[in-house]
Amino acid sequence: MTHGFMSPATAEPEAMPSLGERWRDARTRYGWFFVVVVFPCLAAALYLYGFAADQYESEAHYLVRAQGAPASSGSSIEKLLGAGGGSGGGGQGEANSVADFLLSHDAVDALRRQSALIARFRRPEADGLSRLPSADPTPEALLKYYRKQVDVHYDTDTGITTLKVRAFRPTDAYVIARKLLGLGEGQVNTMNVRSYADAVKLSRQQLAEAEQALTQVQSRMTNFRQDSRDVNPQGTAEAQIGLVSKLESELSAARSQLATTVSLIGTRNPQYAALSQQVRSLQSQVAAQSAKLAGGGNAIAAGLGDYERLRMQQEFLSKRYDAASAAFEAARQQAVRQQLYVVRIVDANMPVRSEYPKRALSLLTLFIALMVLYGLGWLVAAGVREHAS
């Protein structure tokens, strides 16, 4: 009996792809491999080994620290050199500010004016893809290229900043690196001047005010002495008081003697008249000298109060001046202790062998990246074909 289907044993075998179909499939697959992987790698190898110019790298290490900075609790190098990140050391902020300056427009402009930066980046031996494109670049274009050739890295663990400079001649890399170290030291000096001025500004102002006030009161005392025609009014008053006291003592003795004479021999004795005259004379002198001391507007006591007030002001302002002077000196010493400077741990070297471009490493990296890209593309294409079938 005939059935409406064929048994598996009698089914027709599946048709095998022809040789032409297999050739076209292999050509498509490997064609894309050549396009995505082989040809770019060959082009890169041709450029790297045939046209790319050698570049030399000069490297330097430096540390930013403060005067008299105490040893920190950081790394062993920080302990050895005393460059902690605390208040006594240079600190990460200062080191980063110097590093930022070395990668700034100001540093590029200084190198452009002082070290022929553009000419060093456009050497004849440099290839067209590596050299600075324009002989008169804009500041932005020059800075962008400069940051490709110069690297400044601050290590937060050690506090050391690493400076690397690449150029097409060993001397160019060395000169630029040395110049950048000098610019960094100059920037630190500028920061020192600014921080010193800020640190002592208030104390200097207080010292100037105290000095001015003291000068004014001394000038008023000088004017007072000139007006009163007395160099030392206080001494004059003390001497006058002493004179009055002496006269009063003599007057008391004369009166006592006069009283004794009267009681013994009476008033008819000639000695009585002489003693009486002596008493009257002493009374007149006491009255006259007392009047000089405190008798009227021109008396010594009248001006002595003003002089005493000026003298007290002078003493107070002298103490104020001494305190302001001590505060200024303390602020100045503190500012000096906080002054920064650059320690060159490793000076810039003169390179003898080119380090860039890293031809083998660059080619291997490109090959791996393109293989990954090709593999992803092949997987995507296989998924699309399977979904379509």
Side-chain angles (χ1 to χ4, degrees):
M1 183 177 179
T2 303
H3 297 280
F5 59 90
M6 298 179 60
S7 64
T10 60
E12 295 182 1
E14 184 178 350
M16 297 293 293
S18 64
L19 181 61
E21 291 175 345
R22 289 200 301 271
W23 167 250
R24 284 193 299 271
D25 183 63
R27 185 175 60 183
T28 300
R29 179 182 304 174
Y30 292 109
W32 281 110
F33 177 78
F34 274 87
V35 170
V36 175
V37 179
V38 177
F39 290 154
C41 288
L42 290 177
L46 179 63
Y47 166 73
L48 290 172
Y49 288 95
F51 298 98
D54 291 337
Q55 297 187 39
Y56 300 85
E57 183 177 80
S58 180
E59 182 173 330
H61 299 169
Y62 67 86
L63 186 69
V64 179
R65 59 163 294 174
Q67 299 276 3
S72 69
S73 59
S75 66
S76 58
I77 292 183
E78 286 182 297
K79 291 179 181 179
L80 178 64
L81 297 175
S87 59
Q92 181 176 353
E94 290 81 1
N96 279 331
S97 65
V98 175
D100 183 70
F101 169 76
L102 296 181
L103 295 175
S104 68
H105 280 286
D106 292 339
V108 173
D109 184 63
L111 291 173
R112 186 174 186 174
R113 289 183 285 103
Q114 303 173 15
S115 299
L117 183 65
I118 295 178
R120 297 183 190 277
F121 285 155
R122 286 183 57 81
R123 294 301 189 187
E125 57 267 32
D127 63 276
L129 295 180
S130 299
R131 71 160 58 98
L132 181 64
S134 173
D136 186 20
T138 63
E140 292 77 14
L142 180 58
L143 178 64
K144 183 177 180 180
Y145 181 85
Y146 167 84
R147 288 178 174 175
K148 294 180 180 178
Q149 302 297 113
V150 177
D151 178 65
V152 184
H153 174 70
Y154 173 76
D155 191 330
T156 56
D157 294 330
T158 62
I160 297 175
T161 303
T162 302
L163 169 66
K164 296 181 180 180
V165 179
R166 294 201 310 269
F168 301 103
R169 294 181 183 177
T171 54
D172 289 342
Y174 175 75
V175 168
I176 294 175
R178 293 275 298 182
K179 185 63 180 178
L180 285 174
L181 287 175
L183 290 175
E185 292 173 345
Q187 178 66 10
V188 167
N189 292 335
T190 301
M191 293 166 58
N192 284 337
V193 171
R194 188 180 302 125
S195 63
Y196 180 87
D198 293 340
V200 302
K201 180 179 179 180
L202 179 60
S203 57
R204 180 187 282 117
Q205 180 180 354
Q206 293 175 344
L207 178 61
E209 292 174 353
E211 183 178 5
Q212 182 180 4
L214 181 60
T215 302
Q216 289 177 352
V217 74
Q218 288 177 341
S219 177
R220 290 168 58 189
M221 291 186 69
T222 300
N223 294 334
F224 182 88
R225 292 188 179 104
Q226 291 176 347
D227 294 340
S228 62
R229 300 181 182 274
D230 191 350
V231 176
N232 187 8
Q234 184 177 7
T236 301
E238 291 175 354
Q240 187 68 21
I241 293 173
L243 177 60
V244 172
S245 297
K246 180 181 178 182
L247 290 174
E248 288 178 345
S249 178
E250 292 178 358
L251 177 61
S252 177
R255 285 175 175 173
S256 176
Q257 186 178 2
L258 178 62
T260 302
T261 300
V262 170
S263 64
L264 292 177
I265 60 177
T267 59
R268 294 181 180 180
N269 191 293
Q271 189 176 1
Y272 170 77
L275 290 174
S276 297
Q277 182 62 33
Q278 183 181 2
V279 168
R280 287 192 296 270
S281 177
L282 288 173
Q283 287 176 340
S284 177
Q285 291 182 32
V286 169
Q289 297 301 325
S290 297
K292 288 183 179 180
L293 185 64
N298 294 326
I300 295 176
L304 187 60
D306 294 336
Y307 179 79
E308 285 295 325
R309 282 193 295 272
L310 290 175
R311 190 176 63 82
M312 291 178 62
Q313 290 179 6
Q314 183 188 35
E315 292 179 356
F316 171 76
L317 292 176
S318 295
K319 293 179 180 179
R320 175 187 172 189
Y321 176 81
D322 292 340
S325 179
F328 173 74
E329 182 63 21
R332 190 189 65 82
Q333 293 179 0
Q334 180 66 18
V336 169
R337 286 194 295 269
Q338 292 178 349
Q339 296 290 286
L340 303 173
Y341 65 98
V342 174
V343 180
R344 297 192 184 189
I345 300 176
V346 178
D347 211 341
N349 66 301
M350 176 69 75
V352 297
R353 184 171 62 90
S354 64
E355 296 290 339
Y356 295 89
K358 298 184 181 297
R359 294 177 173 86
L361 179 60
S362 300
L363 196 59
L364 178 61
T365 302
L366 177 64
F367 175 76
I368 293 176
L370 293 178
M371 283 295 297
V372 172
L373 179 63
Y374 174 78
L376 292 175
W378 184 84
L379 290 176
V380 171
V384 170
R385 285 197 300 271
E386 182 179 356
H387 181 73
S389 62

